[in-house]
Amino acid sequence: MNQPIRAPRGVKDIIPPDAMRFEGILRETEEILLLGGFQKVLLPLFESASLFTRSIGGETDIVEKEMYTFQDKGGETFALRPEGTASLLRAAIEHRLADISRVSRLFYSGPMFRHERPQAGRLRQFYQVGAEILGPLTPSDDVDLIAIIHRMAVQFRIPEWTLLLNNMGCPRCRPAYRTALVGYLKDHFGELCPTCQRRMGTNPFRVLDCKVPACQPVLEKAPRITDYLCDRSRAHYDRVREELDVLEIPYRPEPRLVRGLDYYTETTFEFTSGALGAQSTWAAGGRYDGLSKDLGGPDMPGVGFAAGIERLWLLREAARTLPGAGLPPIWVTVFPLAPLARPKALRLVTALREAGIPAVGLFTDQKIKAAFRQAEHDRSRFLAFIGEDEVESDTVQLKDLVKGEQVSVPLGDTLEIARRIRMSLLPEEKEHSGSV
Ligand code: ATP
Ligand code: MG
């Protein structure tokens, strides 16, 4: 026997009825962004690999270990997108969607690809919804974006959520911090994992992002960026915190929060949840004032975030706020009892759908018992038979599978058929008994 082919490791099919619920999560998340004035951009699933090495940074987990890179037949190197911000910035620059004279609010959603070790909440293909504000920004834009994610936490009733906040400084204050950090890491070289030992020389901030348990005690005592901020970054951080207080959005300062991408400056944040286990972050982002210029675009600040939809699923499942599947139930199963009845059955199914009645045709040589079984499986309310007699008299037998009633209706009178079906589906009028 042939071995069945399975989906690749870490890649999940989303099957009925979950697919509709999943899209419900995407839709509800996007609706919150639309309320915030964001406009959607549909981005390609693959890009030049250099877009990600240039923006995310060569010394990051994503680029170093996780990217699906391939050469196409023309010999060019592409990558399946591991995240959306780089693509969105590329598109914004290419189509002049943003510049320093006005504020642009853009969002995207769709699958991202990272070659990671699959586990709960960590897949190789996963969905993100992400949004970016580009242009002449102030710290209030960072807060506004955080407030939008906060709205999601509240509306979806995310359990046990925490907002972690940091300021990573800017090109003015980072050199001094870098020197202090490298000095400290050198003193603890032997206690660090090989990756940290290497990155210490190339990109020491990445070391703070290390997830290896053995490195954690050293990293906990490392110098903190917030002690090295220049006046402007310090003021930026203070403004963000003051305005979060104004909005009464609670947060926890987390000086080690550098995020796994090189392009961040100033504000970085993560929304986590105690209900998620090890992969606790469900939305994350920050400010990236140098990214547009690095990618050949205008010198323009940006701030953005991305939320992982599979993790939102887990959280909304725990909170019992998963959206419904929104599927219409099937109302009618049309069953031709003989091959010669099939054209009429096809016509009836089509006419019912045109009249807005969800209907399926069952075109099989099996006996009527199979039609009852199928109708039951599909939770269909009516079975419509067309046998040889009905073909002769141009009628259809309409059987209400709940009430057990069966009537003969002229086949051409779709309106009458539709009316009878709709009538039966109306909620029964309650008997009025007793005094009010
Ligand atoms: P992590 O620390 O979990 O590796 P990250 O820093 O790599 O996260 P980002 O690049 O900031 O994650 O992505 C934003 C969000 O996308 C994450 O908070 C998470 O919800 C989701 N996400 C990231 N990687 C995965 C994955 N492999 N599988 C499922 N969701 C993911
Ligand atoms: Mg990661």
Side-chain angles (χ1 to χ4, degrees):
M1 213 176 67
N2 283 342
Q3 279 291 332
I5 296 175
R6 302 181 64 95
R9 215 161 95 79
V11 173
K12 245 182 34 182
D13 298 307
I14 307 174
I15 58 176
D18 288 355
M20 297 297 284
R21 295 171 178 277
F22 195 89
E23 293 204 322
I25 296 189
L26 278 170
R27 197 174 44 249
E28 289 174 14
T29 311
E30 292 188 356
E31 273 162 12
I32 292 176
L33 292 172
L34 289 168
L35 270 178
F38 289 84
Q39 291 195 315
K40 186 164 184 172
V41 183
L42 290 173
L43 296 163
L45 296 194
F46 66 97
E47 299 266 6
S48 285
S50 59
L51 171 65
F52 303 113
T53 21
R54 256 169 79 181
S55 54
I56 299 169
E59 283 284 334
T60 57
D61 276 355
I62 294 180
V63 167
E64 226 173 34
K65 309 185 203 158
E66 299 171 0
M67 221 157 48
Y68 280 95
T69 312
F70 63 96
Q71 260 188 4
D72 79 350
K73 295 204 164 62
E76 258 189 276
T77 307
F78 293 103
L80 297 183
R81 60 181 188 190
E83 58 115 36
T85 300
S87 294
L88 190 123
L89 261 279
R90 198 252 327 123
I93 294 165
E94 196 169 321
H95 305 287
R96 299 181 205 283
L97 299 179
D99 62 56
I100 191 64
S101 68
R102 68 197 158 91
V103 176
S104 303
R105 299 161 83 86
L106 300 166
F107 78 95
Y108 59 85
S109 74
M112 304 293 159
F113 307 86
R114 296 185 195 176
H115 192 270
E116 307 207 62
R117 200 165 66 77
Q119 50 198 290
R122 197 181 282 303
L123 294 154
R124 291 182 171 175
Q125 174 177 323
F126 59 95
Y127 278 72
Q128 280 186 343
V129 170
E132 323 285 343
I133 313 179
L134 306 169
L137 308 185
T138 71
S140 305
D141 291 291
D142 305 5
V143 176
D144 187 28
L145 195 74
I146 290 172
I148 280 173
I149 311 168
H150 176 251
R151 175 79 220 135
M152 295 175 189
V154 173
Q155 186 171 319
F156 304 152
R157 287 194 237 124
I158 302 290
E160 301 168 53
W161 63 268
T162 307
L163 165 60
L164 305 177
L165 184 72
N166 193 22
N167 186 301
M168 290 180 58
C170 67
R172 285 177 302 276
C173 42
R174 275 203 223 158
Y177 175 60
R178 186 190 166 107
T179 309
L181 181 63
V182 172
Y184 171 85
L185 294 174
K186 273 193 182 144
D187 292 342
H188 296 272
F189 191 80
E191 299 154 65
L192 296 169
C193 73
T195 308
C196 286
Q197 292 180 344
R198 183 169 45 77
R199 285 182 177 170
M200 201 182 92
T202 48
N203 190 342
F205 301 128
R206 286 280 70 75
V207 174
L208 296 174
D209 207 31
C210 177
K211 308 261 160 56
V212 175
C215 295
Q216 302 313 306
V218 183
L219 300 181
E220 262 150 41
K221 296 204 190 70
R224 304 179 153 204
I225 176 70
T226 35
D227 295 330
Y228 290 82
L229 295 179
C230 64
D231 289 347
R232 259 179 68 180
S233 291
R234 161 70 44 207
H236 190 122
Y237 193 29
D238 290 344
R239 284 281 299 282
V240 166
R241 289 187 301 172
E242 282 160 25
E243 289 172 12
L244 284 173
D245 289 342
V246 169
L247 295 185
E248 295 181 57
I249 297 175
Y251 64 88
R252 201 172 82 207
E254 179 50 71
R256 264 181 63 195
L257 187 69
V258 295
R259 311 276 309 114
L261 307 94
D262 269 1
Y263 50 64
Y264 287 114
T265 52
E266 307 282 4
T267 310
T268 51
F269 58 83
E270 288 191 3
F271 279 79
T272 62
S273 166
L276 271 180
Q279 270 62 57
S280 60
T281 306
W282 52 273
R287 189 77 174 244
Y288 46 81
D289 290 351
L291 181 58
S292 171
K293 197 162 168 233
D294 286 351
L295 291 176
D299 189 358
M300 139 187 103
V303 63
F305 83 94
I309 303 301
E310 285 80 2
R311 293 186 197 175
L312 277 180
W313 174 288
L314 294 172
L315 291 166
R316 295 188 59 176
E317 193 174 33
R320 298 176 182 278
T321 60
L322 277 185
L327 292 169
I330 293 169
W331 290 359
V332 189
T333 300
V334 179
F335 184 56
L337 284 160
L340 89 165
R342 279 183 205 151
K344 292 201 167 188
L346 275 168
R347 207 147 25 159
L348 177 59
V349 172
T350 312
L352 285 171
R353 291 174 188 157
E354 271 169 29
I357 300 223
V360 293
L362 181 59
F363 307 108
T364 166
D365 284 328
Q366 287 169 296
K367 298 276 179 297
I368 187 128
K369 244 172 95 178
F372 278 102
R373 263 204 313 272
Q374 176 87 37
E376 193 186 344
H377 176 270
D378 293 343
R379 304 225 180 96
S380 189
R381 172 71 189 254
F382 286 88
L383 200 54
F385 309 96
I386 309 172
E388 285 181 24
D389 290 352
E390 285 74 26
V391 170
E392 193 67 30
S393 57
D394 208 26
T395 55
V396 56
Q397 295 289 332
L398 198 58
K399 185 170 177 79
D400 185 327
L401 297 173
V402 172
K403 292 185 186 153
E405 295 160 3
Q406 185 170 328
V407 287
S408 170
V409 192
L411 194 48
D413 198 349
T414 318
L415 284 185
E416 174 59 13
I417 300 172
R419 191 190 63 82
R420 283 177 176 273
I421 291 166
R422 287 218 164 84
M423 288 291 288
S424 321
L425 289 165
L426 287 179
E428 303 263 330
E429 268 190 50
K430 291 258 151 41
E431 289 268 350
H432 211 79
S433 61
S435 56
V436 183

